[in-house]
């Protein structure tokens, strides 16, 4: 006989990206929706930390974990913003004070499970049902090994975990994107529920495929997920309700705005206290000179010892002041972007530069989203060490020769995004790990200022 108690409530959040403006409502939602239920599971599915927010930058994600603790989570998994946005030694410490388990099976440390994560978590409900919880993150084989991590192909890891599971119910915390999730639903018969993330997709009322339930709650805390499941005494799910709640429909309280502003103020105060350098002048970023972009491009080229650099002017979001603090630099270069050394032939370089100018001309007023970019628009292509004169491409002042080899430094966004297919398929690319652009600028200027 089915009883009213055979009910499991699941609350989930994904891809917050440090959008703390929605956190007060989410916290109340998690608390309110837990009332009256004996069995409640609460999850974060990764990319909670995004260093584009001043407080996340200033604390390297520790502030995010404090806020996650207040949600009384059952477990979380990580996204690429935690896995690749933090140096290994910082990620190793990120969850030291977490009151929840981090579940992650496809990221290893020298072949072993990281000390801060478990491969799976098992819980047993008040009505005796066992639940296995798995966590997987998006694999970036070009990036994770360079950051000191081993990254495993998620499908084979999941297949082995499901093969070994004897639980009554299984849940996957998937920071893998909707394509993987839907394929997994069609592939595995004993995968009962997938809570999705990474591609910022939204299943407002869930999705059902091959007897697998899928839920996903968009991005930035704009939605928060709720799953209510009822089981019979054989632990078969006989009723399900999946919903992603639009937080705009949730009540705002008088103190919310002050709390949100306080989070930003805290971060800015910490960063403002750190002076980077006293420059000889300030730099504007206007057509045609793009002084600020040229300044940053010059620093990048010198630091990496590459004579040719390509940057888009939108990468430098604010003008560069003469008195430069970490807070200024965070506003100027908020991106989680690194530089890439491209080694190409002269023939490839000619095609690449044509593509960059042609596509860049289309992109320059576009609002670019994702791939680490946190600016306002793409802007114009700006070069150093590369020049067009009389329809001839010059590299350090000399005509490009088709058969010679050339090295050019560009943002990793150009490699990861789909804008520049010729560039992606040309020569070899070496991503410069582990530092972001602003970290290189800060170190370089601080060293100069102290020398």
């Amino acid at each position: 006989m089915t009883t009213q108690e055979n009910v499991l409530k699941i609350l989930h959040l994904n891809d917050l990206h440090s959008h703390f403006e929605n956190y007060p409502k989410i916290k109340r939602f998690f608390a309110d929706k837990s009332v009256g239920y004996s069995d409640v599971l609460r999850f974060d599915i990764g990319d909670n930390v995004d260093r584009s927010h001043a407080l996340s930058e200033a604390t390297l994600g520790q502030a995010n974990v404090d806020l996650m603790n207040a949600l009384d989570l059952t477990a979380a998994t990580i996204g690429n913003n935690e896995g690749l946005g933090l140096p290994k030694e910082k990620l190793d410490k990120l969850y030291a004070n977490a009151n929840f388990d981090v579940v992650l099976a496809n990221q290893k440390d020298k072949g072993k499970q990281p000390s801060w994560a478990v491969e799976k978590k098992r819980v047993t409900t008040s009505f005796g049902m066992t639940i296995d919880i798995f966590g997987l993150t998006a694999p970036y084989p070009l990036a994770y090994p360079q950051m000191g991590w081993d990254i495993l192909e998620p499908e084979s890891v999941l297949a082995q975990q499901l093969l070994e599971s004897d639980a009554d119910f299984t849940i996957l915390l998937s920071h893998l994107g909707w394509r993987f999730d839907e394929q997994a639903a069609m592939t595995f018969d004993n995968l009962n529920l997938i809570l999705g993330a990474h591609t910022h997709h939204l299943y407002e009322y869930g999705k059902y495929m091959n007897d697998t339930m899928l839920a996903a709650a968009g991005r930035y805390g704009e939605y928060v997920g709720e799953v209510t499941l009822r089981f019979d005494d054989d632990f078969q799910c006989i009723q399900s309700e999946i919903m992603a709640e639009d937080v705009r429909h949730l009540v705002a309280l008088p103190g919310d705005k002050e709390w949100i502003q306080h989070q930003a103020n805290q971060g800015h105060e910490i960063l403002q206290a750190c002076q980077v350098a006293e420059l000889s002048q300030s730099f504007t970023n206007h057509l045609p000179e793009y002084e600020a972009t040229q300044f940053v491009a010059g620093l990048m080229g010198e630091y990496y010892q590459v004579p040719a650099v390509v940057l888009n002017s939108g990468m430098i979001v604010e003008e560069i002041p003469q008195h430069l603090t970490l807070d200024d630099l965070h506003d100027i270069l908020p991106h989680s972007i690194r530089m890439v050394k491209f080694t190409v032939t002269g023939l490839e370089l000619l095609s690449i530069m044509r593509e960059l100018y042609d596509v860049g001309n289309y992109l320059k007023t576009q609002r670019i989203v994702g791939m680490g970019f946190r600016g306002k628009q793409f802007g114009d292509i700006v070069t150093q060490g590369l020049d067009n004169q009389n329809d001839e491409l010059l590299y350090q002042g000399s005509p490009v020769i088709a058969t010679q080899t050339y090295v050019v430094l560009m943002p990793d966004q150009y490699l990861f995004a789909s804008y520049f297919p010729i560039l992606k398929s040309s020569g070899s690319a070496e991503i410069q790990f582990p530092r972001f652009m602003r970290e290189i600028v800060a170190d370089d200027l601080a060293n100069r200022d102290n020398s």
Side-chain angles (χ1 to χ4, degrees):
M1 178 179 177
T2 303
T3 63
Q4 190 68 23
E5 285 71 34
N6 288 16
V7 173
L8 177 65
K9 175 75 75 173
I10 298 167
L11 305 170
H12 59 101
L13 168 68
N14 63 275
D15 295 283
L16 184 69
H17 286 277
S18 298
H19 277 257
F20 298 141
E21 66 269 19
N22 290 317
Y23 176 84
K25 288 183 176 182
I26 292 166
K27 182 182 177 182
R28 291 193 293 270
F29 183 91
F30 269 50
D32 294 346
K33 293 296 182 177
S34 298
V35 174
Y37 292 91
S38 300
D39 297 282
V40 183
L41 304 179
R42 305 171 192 85
F43 299 113
D44 185 290
I45 324 295
D47 275 4
N48 188 298
V49 177
D50 192 318
R51 289 171 59 186
S52 63
H53 191 284
L55 187 58
S56 297
E57 173 74 350
T59 65
L60 290 175
Q62 293 294 335
N64 296 69
V65 173
D66 290 342
L67 296 177
M68 293 168 77
N69 282 340
L71 296 179
D72 195 20
L73 297 176
T74 306
T77 196
I78 74 164
N80 44 288
N81 270 265
E82 290 89 5
L84 298 175
L86 293 167
K88 185 177 186 297
E89 64 272 15
K90 299 301 182 183
L91 181 55
D92 276 334
K93 297 175 182 176
L94 178 64
Y95 300 104
N97 297 317
N99 62 10
F100 52 88
D101 288 317
V102 179
V103 185
L104 180 64
N106 69 318
Q107 183 173 328
K108 304 296 182 184
D109 187 355
K110 296 183 175 65
K112 297 180 180 179
Q113 188 67 12
S115 60
W116 43 268
V118 297
E119 286 195 345
K120 76 169 186 177
K121 179 182 176 74
R122 174 165 286 195
V123 298
T124 303
T125 66
S126 63
F127 51 94
M129 184 175 76
T130 55
I131 303 172
D132 274 352
I133 301 161
F134 310 112
L136 297 168
T137 196
Y140 287 87
L142 289 176
Y144 272 106
Q146 298 289 337
M147 296 289 284
W149 300 107
D150 304 318
I151 194 72
L152 306 180
E153 194 282 315
E155 186 171 359
S156 58
V157 172
L158 179 60
Q160 186 63 33
Q161 287 191 302
L162 289 170
L163 182 66
E164 296 172 356
S165 175
D166 61 356
D168 301 309
F169 194 80
T170 57
I171 300 173
L172 172 62
L173 312 182
S174 168
H175 198 89
L176 295 165
W178 68 267
R179 288 184 179 85
F180 181 95
D181 293 353
E182 295 190 2
Q183 182 60 44
M186 298 304 296
T187 301
F188 301 111
D189 292 332
N190 62 329
L191 182 53
N192 300 114
L193 172 64
I194 302 174
L195 303 178
H198 185 47
T199 44
H200 299 180
H201 55 293
L202 175 69
Y203 296 139
E204 195 168 359
Y205 299 104
K207 196 163 187 175
Y208 298 81
M209 301 178 69
N210 189 34
D211 293 328
T212 298
M213 296 172 280
L214 297 95
R219 63 173 190 172
Y220 303 164
E222 294 169 347
Y223 290 81
V224 60
E226 179 183 13
V227 180
T228 309
L229 306 176
R230 178 171 278 107
F231 297 86
D232 64 20
D233 290 339
D234 295 321
F235 308 134
Q236 298 300 304
C237 184
I238 56 173
Q239 185 179 343
S240 64
E241 183 178 350
I242 302 174
M243 183 175 181
E245 179 72 48
D246 189 333
V247 299
R248 291 177 299 179
H249 301 155
L250 303 178
V251 175
L253 295 184
D256 288 355
K257 285 186 178 180
E258 289 79 2
W259 180 90
I260 293 161
Q261 188 60 51
H262 179 64
Q263 307 312 301
N265 292 345
Q266 275 187 294
H268 289 306
E269 286 171 12
I270 296 169
L271 296 175
Q272 282 168 3
C274 301
Q275 180 173 334
V276 174
E278 191 71 34
L279 303 176
S280 59
Q281 65 175 91
S282 60
F283 296 91
T284 60
N285 202 37
H286 304 306
L287 183 76
E289 293 87 1
Y290 288 121
E291 290 179 349
T293 305
Q294 292 285 1
F295 179 70
V296 172
L299 290 178
M300 293 293 141
E302 289 178 31
Y303 184 86
Y304 289 113
Q305 308 252 297
V306 176
V309 183
V310 177
L311 277 182
N312 49 298
S313 63
M315 200 70 73
I316 289 70
V317 180
E318 304 288 347
E319 296 180 354
I320 301 175
Q322 190 170 0
H323 177 76
L324 186 66
T325 68
L326 282 183
D327 194 45
D328 298 317
L329 198 49
H330 185 258
D331 288 338
I332 293 161
L333 289 167
H335 327 287
S336 56
I337 286 177
R338 301 174 175 92
M339 299 303 285
V340 180
K341 285 183 183 178
F342 288 94
T343 303
V344 296
T345 66
L347 187 62
E348 289 173 325
L349 183 57
L350 291 167
S351 297
I352 288 166
M353 293 311 298
R354 277 195 297 269
E355 178 182 61
L356 287 174
Y357 283 119
D358 288 347
V359 178
N361 190 53
Y362 165 75
L363 289 175
K364 68 179 181 179
T365 58
Q366 300 296 310
R367 173 70 172 92
I368 306 300
V369 177
M371 299 300 163
F373 187 75
R374 303 290 184 262
K376 298 172 183 176
Q377 60 185 31
F378 188 82
D380 283 308
I381 293 291
V382 176
T383 62
Q384 276 201 3
L386 287 166
D387 193 21
N388 271 304
Q389 289 186 8
N390 301 320
D391 293 327
E392 185 173 44
L393 182 63
L394 305 180
Y395 184 97
Q396 286 192 287
S398 299
V400 170
I401 299 171
T403 55
Q404 284 194 6
T405 299
Y406 298 89
V407 180
V408 184
L409 199 63
M410 303 186 198
D412 65 12
Q413 182 197 19
Y414 298 8
L415 178 64
F416 292 136
S418 59
Y419 317 130
F420 306 118
I422 295 173
L423 175 64
K424 288 164 71 78
S425 62
S426 298
S428 63
E430 183 184 353
I431 306 171
Q432 303 303 296
F433 291 99
R435 290 173 169 165
F436 293 154
M437 291 174 63
R438 67 174 172 273
E439 294 173 313
I440 299 301
V441 173
D443 287 351
D444 189 276
L445 291 177
N447 289 337
R448 294 183 188 199
D449 214 42
N450 294 327
S451 60

